């Protein structure tokens, strides 16, 4: 068997026949099987069985009566049951076009890699199938946050949130995975340094049925992300929280001494900007310093960005106080909370970005292959 296609499904009865038809057309000439791993509450299992009876390629069904691990658990179960070591994982709603499977397989054959990611964010790719602009923004923001939390392991991956990818199952220690959400690729890449290549793809509109995206899924994603990376961001948050308290304390003291609240806010911001950088550089990003720009460049970039952020934040603070009549300390606390996320993403992806390799191709690029980010071990 050259390839196993793993399709986790939940109430996708209307998509099964079309997915099999398009996959067979796209993969003609290849020895391939399709495995549906189904957690449905509708008639999807019966539809899969019916389609399998007449399909011109092997179609298998794993129906999980008591599913565990959500979509990620379904993917792992399908991969472990596959006849081929080379597996393509894709959604069952046809937003991942079966016609792109050949491109994934070709990239795997021509490159010495463990994973080939189908990316919406490479040149030639598109996220146009997302329902609206809000979902596009959420997707972009989630991707940026994810890359910020794993800045080195995901440095070469533009779309770690995709559910469309090829993987050689021999490259992963499956017993070490604890799938708990719908972003199984993220968990695979976060737990082990793998060789990764990407190909672009166009995220299409759903063929049939309803989207599974929900607020609950968003909470599951954040929980999964926190479980995978409960180190760097927590340290950044701890220092940021201390800085926020110091900021508010300095501001309150200056106001008590008679200073205008905007002047007090500016002074407090400058003091905490410098202090926070020194602490973060020493304790949070110390494992990334050797691969990043020199200290003076990191400080200059951080200081410039934080002051630019303050130039935006202070007028917003003034607007909240003057127009919305929010008490000044409370308004400052709100703006600082928003600024925390923005600062973390910027520092992870920009301030401590790995340096480009030298002209002879030495050191820095090689060091990217050595991951030192701490990943919390599961019990």
């Amino acid at each position: 068997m050259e390839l196993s296609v793993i399709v986790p499904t939940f109430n996708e009865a209307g998509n099964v026949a079309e997915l099999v038809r398009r996959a067979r057309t796209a993969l003609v000439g290849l020895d391939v099987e399709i495995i549906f791993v189904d957690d449905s509450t509708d008639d999807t299992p019966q539809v899969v069985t019916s389609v399998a009876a007449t399909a011109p390629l092997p179609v298998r069904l794993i129906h999980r009566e008591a599913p565990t691990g959500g979509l990620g658990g379904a993917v792992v179960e399908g991969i472990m049951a596959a006849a081929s070591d080379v597996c393509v994982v894709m959604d069952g709603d046809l937003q991942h076009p079966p016609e792109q499977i050949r491109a994934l397989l070709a990239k795997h054959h021509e490159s010495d890699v463990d994973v080939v990611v189908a990316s919406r964010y490479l040149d030639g790719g598109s996220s146009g199938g997302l329902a609206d602009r809000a979902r596009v923004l959420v997707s972009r923001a989630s991707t940026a946050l994810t890359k910020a939390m794993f800045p080195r392991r995901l440095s070469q991956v533009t779309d770690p949130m995709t559910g469309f990818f090829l993987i050689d199952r021999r490259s992963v220690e499956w017993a070490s995975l604890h799938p708990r959400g719908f972003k199984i690729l993220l968990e695979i890449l976060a737990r082990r340094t793998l060789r990764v290549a990407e190909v672009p793809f166009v995220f299409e509109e759903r063929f049939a049925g309803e989207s599974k995206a929900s607020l609950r899924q968003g909470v599951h994603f954040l929980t999964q992300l926190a479980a995978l990376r409960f180190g760097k961001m927590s340290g950044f948050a701890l220092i940021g929280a201390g800085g926020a308290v110091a900021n508010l304390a300095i501001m309150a003291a200056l106001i008590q001494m008679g200073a205008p609240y905007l002047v007090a806010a500016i002074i407090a911001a400058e003091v905490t900007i410098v202090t926070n950088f020194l602490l973060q550089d020493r304790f949070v990003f110390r494992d990334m310093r050797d691969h990043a720009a020199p200290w003076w460049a990191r400080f200059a970039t951080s200081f410039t960005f934080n002051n630019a952020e303050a130039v935006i934040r202070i007028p917003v603070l003034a607007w909240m106080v003057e127009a919305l009549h929010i008490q000044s300390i409370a308004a400052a606390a709100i703006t600082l909370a928003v600024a925390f996320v923005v600062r973390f993403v910027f520092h992870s992806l920009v301030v401590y970005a790995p340096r480009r390799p030298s002209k002879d191709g030495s050191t820095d690029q090689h060091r990217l292959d050595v991951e030192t980010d701490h990943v919390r071990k599961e019990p």
Side-chain angles (χ1 to χ4, degrees):
M1 189 71 67
E2 292 179 72
L3 180 69
S4 295
V5 179
I6 313 300
V7 187
T9 51
F10 180 76
N11 297 347
E12 298 288 359
N15 295 310
V16 172
E18 181 67 7
L19 188 151
V20 172
R21 184 192 69 78
R22 286 175 57 179
R24 175 53 183 168
T25 300
L27 302 174
V28 64
L30 296 177
D31 188 10
V32 60
E33 67 174 348
I34 301 177
I35 303 176
F36 289 92
V37 187
D38 183 68
D39 296 343
S40 297
T41 57
D42 67 355
D43 62 344
T44 299
Q46 291 77 19
V47 173
V48 173
T49 302
S50 176
V51 170
T54 59
L57 75 170
V59 175
R60 298 164 54 192
L61 170 67
I62 300 174
H63 181 63
R64 306 198 305 168
E65 295 291 348
T68 58
L71 184 147
V75 169
V76 172
E77 191 162 338
I79 289 175
M80 298 309 296
S84 174
D85 287 324
V86 180
C87 300
V88 165
V89 177
M90 62 185 301
D91 289 348
D93 55 13
L94 290 168
Q95 291 190 296
H96 299 157
E99 294 76 13
Q100 197 66 13
I101 294 175
R102 274 191 182 273
L104 292 169
L105 191 59
K107 177 63 74 170
H108 178 255
H109 287 331
E110 71 185 38
S111 306
D112 186 21
V113 296
D114 305 305
V115 181
V116 182
V117 174
S119 173
R120 296 163 289 182
Y121 304 129
L122 282 180
D123 288 343
S126 169
S127 57
L130 292 174
D132 51 42
R133 179 173 290 274
R135 282 195 63 192
V136 172
L137 292 175
V138 169
S139 176
R140 286 284 190 176
S142 299
T143 299
L145 180 60
T146 300
K147 286 175 68 65
M149 295 184 81
F150 296 93
R152 293 175 61 196
R153 225 163 239 191
L154 301 181
S155 63
Q156 307 301 317
V157 184
T158 63
D159 196 357
M161 309 289 286
T162 185
F164 192 15
F165 60 93
L166 177 149
I167 187 164
D168 185 332
R169 69 179 176 185
R170 294 166 293 187
S171 63
V172 177
E173 296 176 0
W174 297 99
S176 68
L177 294 183
H178 299 269
R180 67 187 70 206
F182 61 101
K183 299 300 182 184
I184 185 63
L185 177 63
L186 170 61
E187 177 155 356
I188 290 170
L189 296 179
R191 291 193 177 279
R192 184 175 179 180
T193 300
L194 298 174
R195 298 165 299 172
V196 182
E198 293 188 311
V199 298
F201 89 102
V202 176
F203 189 73
E204 298 182 351
E205 293 186 4
R206 166 178 278 273
F207 179 74
E210 297 181 354
S211 172
K212 308 301 189 301
S214 65
L215 178 60
R216 182 180 179 183
Q217 275 201 338
V219 173
H220 271 273
F221 161 67
L222 293 175
T223 302
Q224 180 185 18
L225 197 59
L228 289 170
R229 164 60 70 209
F230 199 71
K232 199 173 295 297
M233 192 176 190
S234 62
F236 192 93
L238 183 62
I239 292 173
V245 171
N247 187 304
L248 298 176
I250 294 170
M251 182 177 171
L254 292 174
I255 291 174
Q256 187 68 27
M257 294 168 60
Y261 75 86
L262 285 179
V263 173
I266 292 171
I267 294 174
E270 293 301 317
V271 172
T272 54
I273 282 172
V274 174
T275 303
N276 280 5
F277 171 79
L278 296 174
L279 293 173
Q280 289 158 3
D281 192 75
R282 174 66 178 84
F283 296 107
V284 178
F285 297 107
R286 60 183 177 183
D287 62 324
M288 299 171 65
R289 292 180 304 192
D290 290 343
H291 312 293
W295 185 92
W296 63 266
R298 299 197 301 272
F299 176 79
T301 304
S302 176
F303 187 81
T304 301
F305 174 82
N306 283 321
N307 275 282
E309 175 268 322
V311 167
I312 297 173
R313 186 172 59 83
I314 298 300
V316 171
L317 168 65
W319 173 76
M320 293 174 69
V321 173
E322 303 295 342
L324 302 182
H325 307 294
I326 298 175
Q327 199 272 338
S328 60
I329 299 297
I334 294 171
T335 59
L336 286 171
V338 175
F340 160 73
V341 176
V342 177
R343 289 172 181 170
F344 177 73
V345 171
F346 182 83
H347 280 72
S348 290
L349 297 185
V350 179
V351 177
Y352 292 91
R355 284 172 291 183
R356 294 180 178 179
S358 57
K359 292 182 179 180
D360 63 1
S362 63
T363 62
D364 290 325
Q365 188 64 35
H366 173 71
R367 289 173 183 169
L368 287 176
D369 295 333
V370 183
E371 177 59 39
T372 59
D373 281 348
H374 170 70
V375 177
R376 184 174 66 87
K377 294 182 178 180
E378 296 290 339

